[in-house]
Amino acid sequence: MKRIVFLFTMLFSLNTHAQLNITIDGGNASALPIAVADFVNPTDPLATDMAEVIRNDLARSGQFKPLNKDLMVDQPSSDADINFGTWRLLGADFISYGDITYLDADRMEVRFRLSSVAEQKQLLALTLPLNKAQARAGAHYIADRIYEEILGIPGVFSTKLAYVTATKTGQDFKYQLIVADSDGYGPQSLVTSKEPLLSPSWSPDGKKLAYVSFEQGNSAIYVQDLSTGARTLISNFKGINGAPKFSPNGQRLALTLSKSGNPEIYTINIFDKQLTQITNHWGIDTEPEWAPDGQSIFFTSDRGGKPQIYQTGLINKQAKRVTFQGDYNARPSLSADGKYIAMVHGNNNRYQIALLHRPSNTVQLISNGSLDETPSFAPNGAMVLYATKTPAGKGLLKAVSTDGQTSNDLVLSGGHVREPSWSPLLK
């Protein structure tokens, strides 16, 4: 048996060299200027750190342009401290401010306010009881609330990313399935193996991950609980066991199996392992993705001669072709509203991430690499996470806004990173 390490009690934090480093590329000309003042508490570094997390979150989204800290002429903690004329001259449309009060050595109360400079009125007021260990999560939550208050859709800064890292040790590779914050902070290892790990997929409540492991030499699909580390073997049929995806209700997985000799799409109940075959065709059917209503499945098939995306109902099982532009369209990922499909779009041996707008049937390229793969929609539909490579061949992740104007590089300094999956919105 191949050596593999599992954690059954809790996830452990990795060393800082395993953390993803983020670089923001490009910019959105229509990004909203916002001033994020440090929280008032002159003796506490968390007052500055929390504000910095908020600034970085908003900047990564591409929808906001935080003012440079050098322009922060005032440090307001309440409405009475705000001189709206000054902030208007500095070019800020909005201002975020507040203070931190300690209740004891570990517990604190964070008071936060958001105001519109143009309207000269308060938009949002929050009081968060936190301990020191929750400060960063609190900052992500505040950034989410700012994003939703101004733009009208949920922020995703409190979500998680799952991905696979590959680091070379001697002649061998070590693979790890990692879960980290949306900004790459706090990576935690779920699985470590000498054999490849593939296709992490989140349950809709964000509490479990399905993935493919080759620890026994052949592919097998597992579901693992994030809080306990306990895992369940779901599928280890002879041949391919691949591309698991949770159904919207979390009760089933769609997956690819070749147990009949040809790769087909199936669903399996994760509780009683009841298996249902969805496709039956001589072509290769793979990479299933559920429709948001759970009534149909999108998948990749070469039944038309080249890989394209198809959709089939779970009841009638009648497949229809969805993509027609380009030589190659594969690995579908649907936005939460079902209006967009993110996919790998290929022409002339160049593979980029594209969005298919289903109502208009138009395709828009949002990446500029030559070997981009495995797109995963953010749960609010505003960004797409995908894997690509540097010119030197190093695997990294990119998160790109759906308008293509802003992208973030997520780089692992000590190895390659691939197979990304964006979590659902987390409570």
Side-chain angles (χ1 to χ4, degrees), residues 3 9 28 56 85 107 116 144 242 287 343 376:
R3 181 176 179 270
T9 55
N28 185 345
N56 290 339
R107 296 183 305 129
S116 166
D144 283 335
E287 300 173 346
M343 59 191 181
S376 177

Side-chain angles (χ1 to χ4, degrees), residues 17 22 54 85 87 120 125 133 169 197 213 225 242 264 282 297 343 346 349 372 388:
H17 72 269
I22 294 187
I54 296 169
W87 294 107
Q120 298 190 27
T169 56
L197 301 166
S213 172
D225 188 283
E264 305 285 0
W282 55 262
I297 289 176
M343 59 191 181
N349 292 319
D372 303 332
T388 188

Side-chain angles (χ1 to χ4, degrees), residues 171-186:
Q171 297 301 312
D172 299 321
F173 274 93
K174 179 178 73 173
Y175 299 91
Q176 289 186 294
L177 176 56
I178 306 293
V179 173
D181 291 351
S182 65
D183 57 358
Y185 187 85

Side-chain angles (χ1 to χ4, degrees), residues 12-26:
F12 68 88
S13 294
L14 299 174
N15 295 329
T16 54
H17 72 269
Q19 186 166 303
L20 293 178
N21 301 308
I22 294 187
T23 303
I24 301 175
D25 298 324

